[in-house]
């Protein structure tokens, strides 16, 4: 591990690339916040930004509208998330075509959570795609798209064991996925062990760590369990007593996220996906610390038309 962990100079070593994830806004105020977030992060030259997707007509429309706006106003390469939930194959194919007509060339293909919420049993829609692997094949059949998929360093909560979980990742890659983005995690050893398992299973696509900067520890602690992500006690200790002290909470959160990313870099990771929660500051600060500055030349996906 490097002695001075904040000593990296921009331009030394292998260039680090980043991507940012947003969710579609639910109202005008959130819409404004998303646009401000995109404006702040765009000059960092992300490899791509992604927009999550929810089941149901209005949610779907919100994703389409957010993607449309980012492409036209920020001119960034956008990866559109897509799920199998509550839709026939024809309906999902129609959404693929619609995204493609907006200039999308990259999809994040997911099974999605059951319509009854996380924890309920997932039942595929009759005539729908049955899981992430099936959806990858469906998207690839509709055009020459880049397809990313999910990966779970602590295994998906529905997976009985790592072997089953990694077998599903293998099916997604065999069907044409070229990158996996992980669920967020806080223990880098778990990520490293998972990548070793994945490589042993003969899967060689990049396993990009999904980094969740902690805007509210209380909220993260609440939903981490459902996402299958363990919150270590040392992390809880760092945020102890800060619920009503937003300024210190923010400073600690930046330090924690920076520490995680720098440690992963020490382990050889050079590509990161940030779950921004539509808030730019923590992701921006971490990028700054690792030498990613305005008008970064690292963006490597072709700009959307
Ligand atoms: P899959 O990869 O299809 O399956 C997940 C696991 O379940 C597998 O690893 C496997 O172990 C088990 N499993 C599934 N089917 C079978 C089977 N037939 N037999 C045996 N085991 C099986 N959700 C959204 O709603 N919208 C989003 O935009 C979104 N974006 C996400 C982005 C990322 C990077 C990640 C990590 C998650 C995202 N999610 C999103 C959450 C995701 O939808 C849930 O985690 C969901 O429960 C699983 O979807 P998946 O694509 O990972 O499923």
């Amino acid at each position: 591990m490097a002695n001075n962990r904040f000593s990296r100079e921009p331009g030394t070593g292998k260039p680090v690339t980043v991507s940012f994830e947003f969710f579609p806004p639910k109202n005008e105020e959130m819409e404004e916040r998303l646009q401000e977030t995109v404006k702040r992060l765009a000059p960092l030259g992300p490899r791509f930004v992604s927009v999550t997707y929810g089941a149901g007509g209005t949610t779907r429309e919100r994703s389409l509208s957010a993607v449309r706006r980012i492409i036209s106003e920020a001119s960034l390469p956008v990866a559109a998330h897509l799920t199998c939930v509550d839709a026939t194959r024809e309906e999902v194919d129609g959404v693929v075509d619609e995204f493609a007509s907006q200039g999308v060339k990259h999809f994040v293909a997911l099974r999605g959570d059951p319509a009854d919420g996380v924890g309920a049993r997932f039942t595929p829609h009759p005539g729908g795609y049955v899981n992430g692997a099936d959806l990858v094949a469906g998207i690839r059949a509709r055009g020459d798209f880049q397809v990313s998929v999910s990966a779970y360093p602590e295994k998906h909560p529905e997976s009985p064991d790592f072997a089953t979980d990694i077998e599903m990742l293998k099916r997604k890659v065999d069907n044409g996925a070229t990158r996996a983005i992980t669920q967020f995690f806080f223990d880098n050893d778990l990520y490293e062990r998972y990548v070793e398992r994945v490589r042993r299973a003969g899967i060689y696509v990049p396993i990009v760590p999904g980094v969740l900067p902690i805007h509210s520890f209380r909220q993260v602690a609440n939903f981490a369990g459902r996402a299958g992500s363990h919150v270590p006690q040392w992390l809880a200790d760092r945020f102890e007593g800060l619920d009503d002290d937003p300024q210190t909470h923010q400073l600690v959160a930046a330090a924690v996220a920076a520490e995680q990313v720098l440690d992963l870099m020490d382990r050889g990771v050079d590509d990161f996906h940030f779950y921004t929660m539509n808030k730019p500051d923590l992701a921006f600060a971490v990028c700054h610390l690792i030498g990613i500055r305005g008008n970064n030349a690292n963006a490597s996906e072709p700009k959307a038309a």
Side-chain angles (χ1 to χ4, degrees):
M1 207 160 288
N3 285 337
N4 179 358
R5 309 178 74 216
F6 293 89
S7 67
R8 286 166 197 279
E9 293 298 329
T12 59
K14 213 171 161 200
V16 173
T17 49
V18 294
S19 50
F20 301 116
E21 183 170 311
F22 308 122
F23 62 85
K26 286 195 177 120
N27 55 42
E28 231 168 84
E29 193 190 330
M30 289 167 80
E31 171 77 37
E32 279 319 299
R33 192 169 89 196
L34 174 58
Q35 293 316 315
E36 286 307 310
T37 300
V38 172
K39 229 186 264 176
R40 178 113 166 104
L41 296 175
L44 300 181
R47 188 187 275 267
F48 64 89
V49 299
S50 78
V51 176
T52 62
Y53 187 82
T58 49
T59 343
R60 196 172 309 157
E61 196 38 56
R62 283 204 298 269
S63 295
L64 277 162
S65 150
V67 166
R68 208 176 291 133
R69 197 158 168 200
I70 294 171
I71 289 177
S72 69
E73 291 181 17
S75 182
L76 285 171
V78 177
H81 293 217
L82 207 52
T83 72
C84 314
V85 177
D86 218 11
T88 63
R89 281 169 186 261
E90 289 70 27
E91 285 164 341
V92 173
D93 292 350
V95 179
V96 171
D97 295 347
E98 209 167 336
F99 275 125
S101 74
Q102 304 294 330
V104 170
K105 299 181 176 76
H106 179 176
F107 289 91
V108 182
L110 303 139
R111 186 198 71 181
D113 284 315
D116 293 336
V118 183
R121 193 180 159 72
F122 181 84
T123 313
H125 187 281
Y129 290 105
V130 299
N131 57 32
D134 196 22
L135 180 58
V136 171
I139 293 171
R140 290 296 301 245
R142 295 203 79 70
D144 188 20
F145 299 116
Q146 192 186 144
V147 183
S148 297
V149 291
S150 59
Y152 297 89
E154 300 178 63
K155 80 178 182 56
H156 187 274
E158 287 169 41
S159 297
D161 48 45
F162 273 103
T164 313
D165 198 78
I166 289 171
E167 175 53 32
M168 180 59 79
L169 179 62
K170 187 151 192 340
R171 280 160 63 185
K172 293 191 277 196
V173 172
D174 288 347
N175 285 355
T178 51
R179 171 195 290 104
I181 301 170
T182 75
Q183 182 60 282
F184 67 88
F185 58 91
F186 299 109
D187 181 343
N188 289 348
D189 288 346
L190 295 176
Y191 167 82
E192 200 170 359
R193 234 173 285 149
Y194 175 76
V195 174
E196 282 165 16
R197 282 186 164 119
V198 165
R199 300 295 180 236
R200 274 203 301 275
I203 301 168
Y204 299 108
V205 300
I207 309 293
V208 181
V211 175
L212 176 68
I214 301 177
H215 292 97
S216 162
F217 179 76
R218 197 170 17 189
Q219 277 176 16
V220 169
N222 272 339
F223 68 71
R226 272 174 283 143
S229 304
H230 170 63
V231 176
Q233 187 55 46
W234 59 261
L235 188 62
D237 290 345
R238 289 188 182 185
F239 286 94
E240 191 187 356
L242 298 182
D243 282 353
D244 301 317
D245 182 353
Q247 246 180 337
T248 313
H249 189 293
Q250 174 92 339
L251 292 168
V252 169
V256 164
E259 186 181 38
Q260 178 174 24
V261 167
L262 287 163
D263 179 59
L264 286 167
M265 286 170 69
D266 286 338
R267 297 173 193 233
V269 177
D270 55 20
D271 194 6
F272 296 91
H273 184 76
F274 288 95
Y275 293 107
T276 69
M277 310 306 283
N278 294 6
K279 293 178 182 168
D281 291 356
L282 293 174
F284 189 91
V286 175
C287 287
H288 185 89
L289 271 170
I290 61 175
I292 295 182
R293 303 292 160 86
N295 301 317
N296 185 24
N298 287 341
S300 57
E301 277 191 8
K303 295 271 186 239

